[in-house]
Amino acid sequence: MTKYLAYFRGKMQTLLQYREAAISGALVQIFFGLLRIYLLKAFYASSSLVPPIPFEHAVVYVWLVEGTLRLAPYAPDGEIVQQIRSGQVAYEWIKPLDLYHAWLSRSLASKIAPTLLRFFPVILISSMFFGFRAPDSFLAGLSWLISLSAAVLLSAVITNLLNITLLWTISGEGISQLLTASSYLLSGQMIPLAIFPDTIRDIFRFLPFSGIIDLPNRFYLGELSWQQLPIALAFQFAWIVFFWIVGQGVLRAGIRRIVIQGG
Amino acid sequence: MLSMGQLLVTGIEFLVVLALFYRFDSLLTWSLAEVALFYGFIHMVFAFSDAFSRGFDLMPLMIRTGELDRMMLRPVPVFMQLAGKELTLRRLGRLVQGMLVGIWAWNELNISYSIETIGLFFWAASSAFLLFQAIVILQATLCFWTTESIELGNLFTYGGVEAVQFPITIYPTSIQRFFLFVIPLAGVSYFPLVYLMGKANFFGIPVWIAFLTPLAGWFFWAFSLLVFHLGMKHYASTGS
């Protein structure tokens, strides 16, 4: 266990160095968040139909999305890309650790560190100037934190599966773009899932990506009550276990076919 | 694979527009087809411009490695060499979906195919192309002083696309002014397209202004080249 913790800590410490980049990143995200809010505001103002969620909720939802943007699975681990390209990955197999969990520790760190760095500036500025609000109630906030923790794990197992597919694709750029696109749409990062047509919304909410952004956000807003937390966690953990098993299976298959060139 | 991914990534943005129109009917005074014209135009042009701009992103690398010195010896302007350096098809997906959406909108809005409309379209497209390239050139020019790349340019290119893929009347005046006078994206996109739709431009300005506003893109580009040349004069090789 301590070995994996060391992997986690190493990656965390590396990533937490990028503070200036995180600040400018947070500013960029505030700009994009504002554009999104003005767009929604214009749509809300021009419709006589009853909106699926109140505008104030949509605003808070957008800021939660911007604050936790880096939580979503979107790109493979840069170092693992390098290792696979250069063949250094062979040395990783010699080490007395389970490669899947070593990589998973890194994936976890790569989700947590950038999110921590960006969350606070985005939330601070948006709550001062742009309509971000405290959670619906204390229990809503607590449920949000708990389901957000599960979301981190879910995102990490998906990211790790992306890392593993690099054994086939080498660059991973195509797949990571597809993944980015799906997670953008399906997690609720572009617009709250509630805005999609009802049947499409229900399908999206059944897919794993909704467990990363949409689900925690709905606890925060009080759209889901804390009594529903066990069901939500069961949903998230069902997908976590699914990707955990698939990831290990794919890794095993990948290792079997790999040929290491001497050099 | 990469282009397919691109097509999906940017195609998904349009799905969101569709979802919003499904839920809310209209966007202030704008219909789906009108928004689609703004959307298709800017994505199409940005894809084109991006293909001829990525080379400028390599500036910090080329300054560090001394590659830039070699470029200066060749009898072709450096900025042209840079523009053609990373000519990739990576943005094909964005280009295709922008075109599909744009052509659909053009027909849906019953815009005629005359010399006037097609001419105005290409006039606006050319200056939008140059405007996007100018932003990247300005960003690259900063490297002469900092030798590090600044991410600010991406905010103006990607942020600009994000903003003007919708009519700018939906934004508060501060953002409108920014895209009118600082980064004049409204001049190259909003006014010409509104003219093509045969709509008033909501700023109380005569509609024929649409033929003049694209000049802003050309001026901006000329300005960026001027700054680039100043940077070249200032440049002293890192001597590697």
Side-chain angles (χ1 to χ4, degrees):
Chain A
M1 198 61 203
T2 46
K3 294 176 287 191
Y4 303 111
L5 213 62
Y7 260 76
F8 174 77
R9 212 174 292 140
K11 183 78 182 170
M12 274 295 265
Q13 273 165 2
T14 320
L15 288 171
L16 285 174
Q17 297 309 313
Y18 297 100
R19 271 173 232 132
E20 282 80 17
I23 300 280
S24 68
L27 290 178
V28 171
Q29 265 153 250
I30 288 168
F31 179 74
F32 277 92
L34 275 178
L35 288 183
R36 193 99 311 191
I37 286 172
Y38 288 126
L39 176 69
L40 288 171
K41 193 178 179 185
F43 269 113
Y44 270 84
S46 51
S47 178
S48 51
L49 304 172
V50 179
I53 52 171
F55 179 64
E56 295 73 37
H57 279 201
V59 171
V60 174
Y61 192 108
V62 168
W63 289 126
L64 283 174
V65 164
E66 296 300 332
T68 58
L69 194 75
R70 296 296 286 272
L71 206 60
Y74 62 93
D77 189 318
E79 258 172 80
I80 296 178
V81 176
Q82 278 308 317
Q83 282 182 4
I84 287 176
R85 215 174 270 173
S86 66
Q88 233 209 322
V89 70
Y91 294 110
E92 292 287 301
W93 288 327
I94 300 170
K95 291 180 188 163
L97 5 103
D98 177 38
L99 196 58
Y100 181 85
H101 290 96
W103 283 0
L104 185 62
S105 319
R106 296 172 58 99
S107 302
L108 266 174
S110 75
K111 293 296 119 194
I112 297 172
T115 308
L116 278 180
L117 282 177
R118 277 157 201 247
F119 183 77
F120 294 104
V122 169
I123 292 310
L124 185 73
I125 293 176
S126 64
S127 51
M128 273 171 17
F129 304 109
F130 306 121
F132 184 75
R133 289 189 324 198
D136 196 51
S137 64
F138 174 73
L139 279 175
L142 195 65
S143 323
W144 169 69
L145 263 182
I146 294 170
S147 73
L148 194 65
S149 314
V152 174
L153 201 54
L154 177 54
S155 177
V157 285
I158 296 177
T159 308
N160 207 27
L161 182 59
L162 178 64
N163 286 337
I164 292 161
T165 58
L166 287 172
L167 292 174
W168 279 269
T169 59
I170 311 292
S171 97
E173 268 194 86
I175 288 194
S176 70
Q177 281 202 345
L178 279 177
L179 188 73
T180 311
S182 359
S183 96
Y184 253 166
L185 181 74
L186 304 172
S187 67
Q189 282 185 323
M190 302 200 77
I191 48 169
L193 289 187
I195 288 177
F196 286 98
D198 295 357
T199 35
I200 295 178
R201 177 200 63 199
D202 292 343
I203 296 169
F204 284 5
R205 286 201 170 144
F206 179 74
L207 296 171
F209 297 101
S210 70
I212 299 171
I213 306 281
D214 188 66
L215 195 64
N217 286 1
R218 281 156 76 213
F219 278 112
Y220 189 97
L221 292 166
E223 284 169 20
L224 292 175
S225 76
W226 61 272
Q227 285 109 325
Q228 285 161 294
L229 191 59
I231 308 166
L233 285 176
F235 168 79
Q236 286 172 309
F237 274 95
W239 280 114
I240 290 170
V241 170
F242 171 81
F243 282 107
W244 184 65
I245 291 172
V246 169
Q248 294 184 62
V250 175
L251 181 62
R252 225 170 290 131
I255 290 177
R256 209 171 297 136
R257 62 177 279 285
I258 215 88
V259 176
I260 296 164
Q261 311 286 349
Chain B
M1 193 65 183
L2 212 54
S3 295
M4 273 303 288
Q6 269 273 318
L7 183 64
L8 268 159
V9 176
T10 49
I12 271 165
E13 283 178 44
F14 195 66
L15 284 185
V16 168
V17 177
L18 288 177
L20 283 164
F21 269 97
Y22 167 85
R23 247 333 155 191
F24 297 102
D25 294 330
S26 68
L27 178 59
L28 300 180
T29 54
W30 307 93
S31 68
L32 174 60
E34 285 164 348
V35 169
L37 193 65
F38 287 112
Y39 178 97
F41 174 83
I42 208 71
H43 280 277
M44 206 167 17
V45 173
F46 180 61
F48 245 109
S49 175
D50 202 44
F52 288 94
S53 305
R54 283 298 123 209
F56 292 98
D57 285 349
L58 299 176
M59 274 279 285
L61 188 73
M62 285 191 296
I63 289 179
R64 262 198 310 262
T65 58
E67 167 83 4
L68 194 74
D69 302 17
R70 196 144 23 117
M71 280 194 153
M72 288 163 80
L73 295 176
R74 296 185 193 138
V76 181
V78 173
F79 88 90
M80 278 178 72
Q81 293 182 48
L82 285 169
K85 189 155 173 71
E86 280 281 298
L87 196 61
T88 60
L89 288 177
R90 289 175 55 152
R91 307 290 155 184
L92 199 65
R94 189 191 286 273
L95 182 68
V96 170
Q97 70 105 13
M99 275 168 99
L100 290 177
V101 173
I103 292 170
W104 173 80
W106 190 287
N107 288 321
E108 189 72 12
L109 292 167
N110 284 320
I111 302 170
S112 64
Y113 291 89
S114 66
I115 297 175
E116 192 197 13
T117 57
I118 305 273
L120 180 60
F121 177 85
F122 279 105
W123 169 228
S126 69
S127 71
F129 173 95
L130 293 177
L131 180 54
F132 280 129
Q133 196 183 46
I135 296 170
V136 183
I137 292 177
L138 283 178
Q139 186 188 2
T141 308
L142 275 176
C143 300
F144 284 125
W145 286 274
T146 62
T147 61
E148 283 291 329
S149 171
I150 311 272
E151 290 295 314
L152 211 61
N154 288 342
L155 178 63
F156 296 136
T157 48
Y158 287 99
V161 171
E162 181 79 16
V164 303
Q165 63 183 346
F166 299 103
I168 60 159
T169 58
I170 68 168
Y171 301 114
T173 32
S174 53
I175 294 186
Q176 287 178 8
R177 287 207 187 113
F178 181 80
F179 288 112
L180 279 168
F181 302 118
V182 185
I183 307 284
L185 269 169
V188 299
S189 149
Y190 177 77
F191 289 103
L193 295 181
V194 167
Y195 183 89
L196 288 177
M197 292 168 198
K199 258 186 136 153
N201 58 32
F202 298 100
F203 287 95
I205 310 169
V207 286
W208 53 258
I209 198 84
F211 291 90
L212 292 183
T213 54
L215 273 174
W218 288 80
F219 281 131
F220 201 87
W221 187 67
F223 170 73
S224 77
L225 284 188
L226 199 73
V227 175
F228 186 76
H229 280 293
L230 278 177
M232 290 286 278
K233 275 213 182 107
H234 164 91
Y235 172 69
S237 171
T238 54
S240 53

